[in-house]
Amino acid sequence: MRPHLLLAMALGFSGPAAAQVHEDGHAAPPQAHGPAWSYGGPGGPEYWGRLDPAWSICSAGQQESPIDLTGAIAADLGPLDLQWRRLPTRVVDTGHAIQVEAAPGSNLTMGGKGYRLLQLHVHQPSEHLLNGHRYPLEIHFVHAAPDGTLGVVGVFAEPGAPNPEIQTVLEAIATPGEADDGPTLDLSALLPEQRDYFRYEGSLTTPPCSETVNWAVLATPITVSASQIEAFSRRHPGNARPPQPLNRRFVLRSGR
């Protein structure tokens, strides 16, 4: 896939809402073309590979995401180098998820490779499983490298104390303003204190399911309130692709 199209998918404008992507990584208004996809019915995950020839890897791929993070092998992966800063954002509803588009300036280094943060979005329930357990929410922080590959950091969320940054996102989507009037967020508040993580090679979890994603999923969840979980559920209940076969891949775990 060409890098600019991959960035469009990373920004969440895929399928019926494919977008033009500006050089700064933000998306122009989506165009109404391409096949419709969904999380259920005739446009659901089991049919994605048949909806468009360009999406055939959704059915035929051997490195698809998400997966059940089980049987991980301990490895010296080093810490995730998250160079995130407090930054202005734009909160949008893509039609498939609540998404927060980030201004330039936050980066990730993983496996010696540098990526820049594009956006984060929320799945309800979690897409990845942890030893067979599914969390109520999972946040994906999508980063892009200059070569068009993606580095995605996944963070689970479980019921508990409310998260102020999540509340800011929910309030922004409930009262949308102009494109440049989004909230300023401290993204580090969306990370747990303990940052051991799972690492594996995978794919986008939405069409076109391109197998160009380096995944890092944190082992420890953050907490969000029951009402915050419910707010995401009201917007996009069940926007999670089912777990995919691991096939011949290995899952590595840091911190052991």
Side-chain angles (χ1 to χ4, degrees), residues 2-4 37 41 91 116 118 177 185 199 232 245 255:
R2 296 187 299 275
H4 73 283
W37 62 271
V91 182
R116 67 186 182 99
L118 298 178
L185 297 178
R199 178 83 187 273
F232 285 105

Side-chain angles (χ1 to χ4, degrees), residues 20-95:
Q20 299 297 317
V21 179
H22 299 305
E23 291 181 357
D24 64 1
H26 290 286
Q31 305 296 314
H33 62 79
W37 62 271
S38 65
Y39 287 98
E46 64 269 40
Y47 301 108
W48 289 351
R50 308 179 210 168
L51 295 176
D52 189 315
W55 300 354
S56 61
I57 198 170
C58 295
S59 299
Q62 296 297 300
Q63 295 191 144
E64 289 297 289
S65 297
I67 60 171
D68 186 352
L69 299 164
T70 187
I73 301 168
D76 182 12
L77 299 176
L80 278 181
D81 186 5
L82 295 165
Q83 306 125 35
W84 293 350
R85 61 179 179 85
R86 189 173 177 85
L87 46 76
T89 65
R90 176 174 176 255
V91 182
V92 297
D93 189 331
T94 68

Side-chain angles (χ1 to χ4, degrees), residues 73-81 109-112 196-200 215-217 251-256:
I73 301 168
D76 182 12
L77 299 176
L80 278 181
D81 186 5
T109 302
M110 179 171 60
D196 291 350
Y197 62 97
F198 298 92
R199 178 83 187 273
Y200 79 99
W215 279 96
V217 182
V251 179
L252 304 178
R253 178 167 180 167
S254 71
R256 288 183 180 177

Side-chain angles (χ1 to χ4, degrees), residues 59-202:
S59 299
Q62 296 297 300
Q63 295 191 144
E64 289 297 289
S65 297
I67 60 171
D68 186 352
L69 299 164
T70 187
I73 301 168
D76 182 12
L77 299 176
L80 278 181
D81 186 5
L82 295 165
Q83 306 125 35
W84 293 350
R85 61 179 179 85
R86 189 173 177 85
L87 46 76
T89 65
R90 176 174 176 255
V91 182
V92 297
D93 189 331
T94 68
H96 295 112
I98 302 303
Q99 179 168 290
V100 180
E101 297 174 0
S106 291
N107 302 288
L108 161 70
T109 302
M110 179 171 60
K113 187 172 185 175
Y115 306 81
R116 67 186 182 99
L117 179 66
L118 298 178
Q119 52 99 335
L120 63 96
H121 59 269
V122 181
H123 293 275
Q124 192 286 317
S126 70
E127 294 202 297
H128 289 93
L129 276 63
L130 180 53
N131 295 318
H133 174 70
R134 190 186 295 276
Y135 285 91
L137 294 181
E138 184 177 349
I139 307 169
H140 290 166
F141 298 83
V142 181
H143 306 73
D147 64 3
T149 59
L150 300 179
V152 182
V153 176
V155 176
F156 296 121
E158 64 181 0
N163 184 287
E165 300 304 295
I166 286 290
Q167 190 60 37
T168 299
V169 170
L170 290 170
E171 290 171 0
I173 200 67
T175 56
E178 296 300 320
D180 296 329
D181 290 342
T184 297
L185 297 178
D186 178 7
L187 298 185
S188 64
L190 297 175
L191 292 170
E193 290 186 11
Q194 178 63 41
R195 300 196 184 159
D196 291 350
Y197 62 97
F198 298 92
R199 178 83 187 273
Y200 79 99
E201 302 303 309

